[in-house]
Amino acid sequence: MKLIAGLGNPGIEYSFTRHNMGWLCVDHFALNNDLGKPQNKFHSEFWKHNDIIFLKPLTFMNSSGIAVSEAVNFYKIELSDILIVYDDMALPFGKLRLRAQGSAGGHNGLISILGALGDIHVPRLRIGIGKAPGEMINYVLGHFPDEEREKLPEITDRAEHAIKIWLEKDIQKAMTLVNADPSE
């Protein structure tokens, strides 16, 4: 059993904000792969397809660990079989970075998840949103400007591809493929 959790905030006011990049990627995957309508389970929108669970926690970002840990504990999922998909200001807009483990890097959603699971050995797919030019909170909760919004389909396509690679390969091979610079 594998779990893919896309992080975001519930509420129409947060739709298409940078902080909801994880939700956008999970929605894109669900739509492109005909997963149908989600159920409400584990404080989340929830899809189960074969031996893969997809979650969009309906807790606010800072409490994402509640939803993820409920699903992990219910299905007895190994930490290495979890993939957290989320926005990251440390990466340029649209850059993808797959990691096998590590600190939360100040991301409150990941802090909540790592705290709830009690371990940093959780794979994650970071989606770059670029550095905040001013106030961080206003930036991450801000809507994409038109020029960035136009690039979202390409970014979510690449994230879907990265998730599929992670599902099919061991983490080291997946990191090599996902993290490669496409211009090289």
Side-chain angles (χ1 to χ4, degrees):
M1 185 73 59
K2 293 202 180 242
L3 169 72
I4 296 148
L7 303 189
N9 282 311
I12 193 75
E13 65 271 27
Y14 299 110
S15 296
F16 288 99
T17 61
R18 292 176 183 90
H19 223 21
N20 276 32
M21 187 62 89
W23 273 28
L24 292 172
C25 292
V26 168
D27 282 339
H28 182 81
F29 193 102
L31 182 64
N32 280 357
N33 292 278
D34 298 320
L35 300 185
K37 292 195 184 256
Q39 302 173 38
N40 284 323
K41 192 171 185 177
F42 309 119
H43 293 89
S44 301
E45 287 188 355
F46 165 89
W47 295 263
K48 185 171 185 288
H49 178 71
N50 298 325
D51 61 347
I52 306 167
I53 309 278
F54 295 87
L55 286 182
K56 283 176 40 183
L58 295 173
T59 57
F60 281 88
M61 179 69 76
N62 296 358
S63 299
S64 298
I66 294 168
V68 171
S69 65
E70 283 181 1
V72 166
N73 292 333
F74 183 84
Y75 286 106
K76 311 284 189 255
I77 299 171
E78 297 292 325
L79 295 180
S80 61
D81 290 330
I82 301 167
L83 182 67
I84 309 300
V85 182
Y86 65 98
D87 61 288
D88 194 326
M89 288 192 329
L91 294 173
F93 180 77
K95 178 88 170 159
L96 303 183
R97 181 71 61 208
L98 181 64
R99 293 189 63 200
Q101 64 185 27
S103 75
H107 192 282
N108 289 332
L110 196 56
I111 289 168
S112 174
I113 291 168
L114 298 180
L117 298 176
D119 205 311
I120 63 167
H121 296 90
V122 179
R124 71 281 315 257
L125 178 62
R126 300 163 43 212
I127 314 290
I129 60 170
K131 288 201 178 292
E135 164 79 42
M136 181 188 69
I137 294 292
N138 291 335
Y139 182 72
V140 298
L141 295 180
H143 294 277
F144 294 103
D146 289 342
E147 63 274 5
E148 288 182 354
R149 195 172 178 140
E150 289 173 6
K151 295 176 183 175
L152 289 177
E154 185 262 333
I155 294 167
T156 55
D157 278 346
R158 286 190 297 113
E160 177 185 359
H161 183 68
I163 291 167
K164 287 180 176 179
I165 291 171
W166 177 79
L167 287 168
E168 296 169 2
K169 310 276 185 203
D170 70 70
I171 189 67
Q172 293 304 318
K173 179 70 171 171
M175 286 178 6
T176 299
L177 293 169
V178 171
N179 296 343
D181 186 343
S183 65
E184 294 177 349

